[in-house]
């Protein structure tokens, strides 16, 4: 009888151990403690994004917005503003993409809702938005040595103006 009780006690302890080992902490607690989640840097905006990308909103640009999303592997920098179509083209050319801006089919936002954080639509979901991407180290752009990639989208507005969307990491 004692052996059966001992075996049951060992089985109960083992089951308790397995159950506790398989359970995870509360989701909100994990966000705070394990460093595997993303968060917005509430103290960073357009100036920080602009400085990281080495892209300045042209004089007279309006609706200048920016944000920095802190991520476990690489941070994402967002910058957007409205300027003249000519200035938008100049900014795209200054990034030195291998291909010029071109219209791509409207797509869903695979990387979540980044620009929505700025109160904007995701640029890849906008009909007629032109885009290009560039790897600054690949084109030997020494101004942007620390930037791995920049996506630029230009959305034509009315009266010769355009909204520029920049996303970098």
């Amino acid at each position: 009888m004692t052996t059966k009780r001992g075996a049951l006690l060992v089985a109960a302890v083992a089951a308790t151990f397995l159950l506790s080992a398989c359970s995870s902490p509360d989701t909100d607690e994990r966000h705070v403690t394990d460093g595997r989640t993303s968060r917005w840097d509430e103290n960073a905006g357009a100036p920080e994004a602009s400085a990281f990308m080495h892209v300045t909103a042209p004089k007279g640009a309006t609706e200048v917005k920016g944000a920095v999303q802190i991520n476990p592997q690489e941070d994402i920098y967002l910058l957007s503003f409205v300027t003249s179509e000519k200035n938008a083209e100049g900014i795209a050319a200054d990034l030195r993409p291998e291909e010029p801006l071109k219209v791509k089919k409207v797509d869903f936002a695979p990387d979540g809702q980044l620009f929505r954080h700025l109160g904007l639509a995701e640029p890849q979901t906008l009909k007629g938005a032109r885009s290009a991407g560039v790897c600054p180290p690949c084109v030997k752009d020494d101004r942007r040595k620390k930037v791995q990639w920049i996506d630029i989208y230009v959305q034509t507005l009315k009266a010769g103006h355009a909204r520029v969307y920049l996303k970098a990491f």
Side-chain angles (χ1 to χ4, degrees), residues 41-55:
D41 183 343
E42 298 302 324
N43 297 315
E48 290 76 15
S50 178
F52 177 76
M53 293 182 220
H54 293 278
V55 173

Side-chain angles (χ1 to χ4, degrees), residues 44-51 53 55-67 78-84 87 91 115 117-120 157 162-166:
E48 290 76 15
S50 178
M53 293 182 220
V55 173
T56 305
K59 186 174 183 168
T62 60
E63 300 181 44
V64 179
K65 300 176 181 191
L78 305 176
L79 182 64
S80 181
F81 49 85
V82 174
T83 188
S84 71
N87 285 342
I91 290 165
F115 282 94
H117 180 74
L118 300 176
L120 301 169
L157 304 174
R163 175 174 295 285
V164 175
Y165 294 83
L166 295 159

Side-chain angles (χ1 to χ4, degrees), residues 54-124:
H54 293 278
V55 173
T56 305
K59 186 174 183 168
T62 60
E63 300 181 44
V64 179
K65 300 176 181 191
V68 178
Q69 185 183 59
I70 306 298
N71 293 300
Q73 292 188 358
E74 56 198 10
D75 297 341
I76 297 174
Y77 294 78
L78 305 176
L79 182 64
S80 181
F81 49 85
V82 174
T83 188
S84 71
E85 188 95 38
K86 182 179 176 182
N87 285 342
E89 295 285 340
I91 290 165
D94 182 60
L95 292 174
R96 303 180 194 166
E98 292 181 10
E99 295 183 16
L101 290 170
K102 61 183 170 184
V103 175
K104 294 181 181 165
K105 71 175 191 156
V106 173
D107 201 359
F108 68 98
D111 52 4
Q113 301 293 316
L114 296 172
F115 282 94
R116 188 159 310 272
H117 180 74
L118 300 176
L120 301 169
E122 297 303 313
Q124 63 272 38

